[in-house]
Amino acid sequence: MKHNALMKKYIYSGLTALSVVAISIVLFFVLQNMEMFRKAFGTMIGILMPVIYGAVIAYLLSPLYNWLREKLQKLFSQKGRAPTKGTQRAASALAILISMAALLAVVAGLLAMIIPELVRSITNLLDSFSMSDNYVSFTSIVHTLVPDDQLAVEINKLYTQFEQNVQEFIQNYITPYLQNFFDYLSVGLVNTFNFLKNIIIGIIIAVYLLASKEMFAAQATKLLYCVAGPRVGNIIMDNVRYTHQMFGGFITGKLLDSAIIGVICGIGLSLIPGMPYVMLISVVIGVTNIIPFFGPFIGAIPSAILILLTSPVHTVYFIIFILVLQQFDGNILGPKILGQSTGLSSFWVLFSILVFGGLFGFVGMIIGVPITAVLLHLLTDGVNRLLDRRGLPLATAEYRHVREVDEETGEIYRTEPQKQPEAPEQQDNQS
C-alpha cells in the first residue's frame, strides 16, 4: 500500500511538472507568434460575425418573444387544458413573427427619423459655410461700419485676396488628398455593405435561435453535466443563471431607460423655439445614454458643438436642459428602471468602462459593467467557498484590523485600534 501511494504521488508530481512545462511552451509559442494568432482570431470573428449578430438579436428579443408566446398559448389553447404541440408551435411561430416585425419597425422608424434630419443638418452646415453668402454679409457689414467708400473698397479687395488664397490652398493642398478620401469612402461603403449583409443573415439566424432555444439549452445542459458532473455542474448552472439575470436586467433596462430619455429629449427640445437639429440630437442623446457614467457627456458635447455652429444662444439652452434631464435620469428614472441591477460601486463602474471600452470600443462600454459584475460575483463566490472549507468567516467586516489567524482553530486575532491623543485642553479639564 505504501509503495502504491508513493508511486501515485510521484506520478501526480510528474504529470504536474509535465503540464507546467507544456503550458509554458505553448504560452511562449503564442507570445512569439502573437500577430499571427491575432489575425487568425480576427478572421474567425469576421466569419462568425453573422452568428454573433444573430445571438445578440435573439437575446434582446427573448423577453418579448417569451411574453408573446405565453400569451398566445393561453389564447389558442382550450380552457382548462394544457396546450398541445400544435398550439405550442403556432404560438412560437407567431411570437417570432411579431417580435421580428417589432424589431424591423423600430429600426425603420429610427432610420426614417435620422436620415432626413442628417441630410438636412449637413446641408445647413454647408450653407452656413458658403463663401458667397459670407462675402455678401461681410460687404454689407463693411459698408455699414466704414463710411469712406475708398477704404471700404480696399477692405473688400483684401477680403477678395483672402478668398483667392483660400481657393488656392484648397486646390494645392486639399485636392491631392481627395483621392485618399474617396479610397476611404469606398472602403467604408464595402464595410457598410458587409455590415448590412451580416445583419440580414443575423436576423435569419436569430429566428432559428428563438425557435430552437429550449432544445439548444437542453443540449448544453446535458453536455455540461456529462463533462463536469453534478457538483461542479450545479455551481456552473447557478453562475449561468446569475449571468443571465445580470445581463438581461441591465441591458434591457438600459435600453428602455435610453429610449425614454431620447423621447423626453425630443419633446423638451421641440418646446424651445428655434432649436435646431431636434430629431438628430435626440437620437444621439438616447443612443449614447446606453453607456453608463460617460454616456451623457459623449452625446451632449458633439451635440452642443453642432448647435453652437448655428446658434450660440440655443447652445446655452441645450446645456441647461441636458443637465436637468441627466439629473432626472440619474436620480429618478434610471434607479427606478434598473434598481440595483449590478450592485457595483462607482469605482468598478468607471474601471469597467475604461477597460472594456479600450478593448472593445463602444460595445465594450455597454457590456463592461455587467461583465465586471459577473466576474466579481464569480471571484466572491470562489473566495467564500474556499474560506468555508477552511472554517474561516465569510463576512468582509471580520477581516478588519487582522493581526493573525490561528492555524488550528481559525480564530482571528485583531490589533487593538490606536487611540487618538487627547487635545491639551481636554487633558487640563480632566486634571
Side-chain angles (χ1 to χ4, degrees):
M1 284 300 280
K2 241 183 195 185
H3 179 70
N4 292 337
L6 192 61
M7 284 297 296
K8 285 183 179 181
K9 181 179 179 181
Y10 287 147
I11 290 173
Y12 289 150
S13 300
L15 290 175
T16 303
L18 182 62
S19 301
V20 171
V21 173
I23 293 173
S24 301
I25 294 173
V26 171
L27 183 61
F28 177 77
F29 177 75
V30 170
L31 293 177
Q32 285 291 106
N33 301 273
M34 181 62 72
E35 190 63 29
M36 180 185 70
F37 283 99
R38 186 178 299 168
K39 289 182 180 179
F41 181 75
T43 303
M44 183 62 64
I45 291 296
I47 294 173
L48 295 176
M49 194 57 69
V51 180
I52 296 174
Y53 286 156
V56 172
I57 293 172
Y59 186 78
L60 293 177
L61 290 179
S62 185
L64 176 62
Y65 165 77
N66 292 335
W67 181 81
L68 287 172
R69 187 182 61 174
E70 181 182 355
K71 297 297 182 183
L72 290 173
Q73 284 181 359
K74 291 181 180 179
L75 181 64
F76 292 160
S77 60
Q78 298 179 359
K79 292 184 178 180
R81 294 184 180 181
T84 62
K85 289 185 177 180
T87 301
Q88 292 176 354
R89 291 177 182 175
S92 177
L94 189 56
I96 292 175
L97 181 62
I98 297 175
S99 300
M100 288 299 170
L103 174 65
L104 295 177
V106 171
V107 173
L110 289 176
L111 292 178
M113 290 188 296
I114 293 175
I115 292 178
E117 185 71 17
L118 185 61
V119 172
R120 187 176 68 85
S121 303
I122 295 175
T123 304
N124 291 339
L125 285 176
L126 293 177
D127 291 341
S128 64
F129 288 111
S130 175
M131 294 295 290
S132 58
D133 294 341
N134 291 336
Y135 178 74
V136 173
S137 177
F138 179 79
T139 303
S140 62
I141 292 174
V142 168
H143 282 291
T144 302
L145 298 178
V146 181
D148 190 351
D149 293 339
Q150 185 62 32
L151 181 60
V153 170
E154 294 297 328
I155 294 176
N156 289 330
K157 286 182 180 180
L158 291 175
Y159 184 84
T160 304
Q161 184 64 36
F162 169 75
E163 186 177 3
Q164 292 176 355
N165 293 335
V166 171
Q167 293 176 354
E168 291 177 0
F169 174 79
I170 293 174
Q171 293 175 357
N172 297 331
Y173 295 97
I174 302 300
T175 305
Y177 292 100
L178 289 178
Q179 184 62 41
N180 294 331
F181 170 76
F182 286 116
D183 292 340
Y184 287 128
L185 183 62
S186 61
V187 173
L189 291 175
V190 172
N191 292 335
T192 303
F193 174 77
N194 291 331
F195 173 76
L196 294 176
K197 180 196 70 174
N198 292 336
I199 285 292
I200 293 174
I201 299 176
I203 291 175
I204 298 174
I205 292 175
V207 172
Y208 287 105
L209 291 176
L210 288 174
S212 306
K213 65 173 189 165
E214 282 82 6
M215 183 187 67
F216 290 148
Q219 291 174 345
T221 305
K222 178 182 177 182
L223 180 62
L224 171 65
Y225 281 102
C226 173
V227 175
R231 186 177 66 85
V232 179
N234 290 335
I235 296 174
I236 295 176
M237 286 296 292
D238 289 339
N239 290 319
V240 168
R241 277 190 287 267
Y242 177 82
T243 304
H244 170 68
Q245 179 183 0
M246 183 63 61
F247 269 84
F250 179 81
I251 294 179
T252 55
K254 199 63 182 173
L255 288 175
L256 177 61
D257 173 63
S258 300
I260 294 174
I261 289 298
V263 172
I264 294 176
C265 182
I267 296 174
L269 293 180
S270 62
L271 296 178
I272 301 176
M275 177 64 71
Y277 318 122
V278 172
M279 191 61 65
L280 179 62
I281 291 174
S282 301
V283 173
V284 171
I285 294 297
V287 171
T288 55
N289 194 70
I290 299 175
I291 302 174
F293 198 84
F294 290 114
F297 304 101
I298 294 175
I301 291 175
S303 300
I305 295 174
L306 183 64
I307 298 174
L308 182 63
L309 297 175
T310 303
S311 174
V313 176
H314 285 89
T315 306
V316 178
Y317 295 156
F318 170 75
I319 293 174
I320 296 173
F321 174 76
I322 288 298
L323 289 175
V324 175
L325 181 62
Q326 293 305 326
Q327 289 298 317
F328 167 74
D329 180 40
N331 298 316
I332 300 176
L333 183 63
K336 186 70 175 178
I337 295 177
L338 295 174
Q340 300 296 326
S341 58
T342 60
L344 293 180
S345 63
S346 300
F347 167 78
W348 286 114
V349 171
L350 180 61
F351 175 84
S352 62
I353 294 172
L354 292 176
V355 172
F356 285 92
L359 292 175
F360 305 107
F362 181 80
V363 177
M365 291 183 176
I366 298 174
I367 66 175
V369 174
I371 287 179
T372 303
V374 170
L375 293 177
L376 289 177
H377 171 76
L378 295 176
L379 178 62
T380 303
D381 187 63
V383 169
N384 289 339
R385 289 179 184 275
L386 289 176
L387 290 174
D388 186 58
R389 288 181 187 177
R390 294 168 181 172
L392 296 174
L394 305 183
T396 305
E398 295 290 332
Y399 294 89
R400 296 180 183 270
H401 309 293
V402 173
R403 177 167 54 87
E404 63 177 353
V405 179
D406 191 281
E407 297 181 6
E408 295 182 358
T409 63
E411 185 178 355
I412 296 178
Y413 299 99
R414 296 179 175 82
T415 58
E416 292 293 333
Q418 296 181 353
K419 294 182 178 180
Q420 297 293 333
E422 296 181 354
E425 295 181 359
Q426 293 179 352
Q427 294 179 357
D428 295 340
N429 292 333
Q430 291 178 358
S431 62

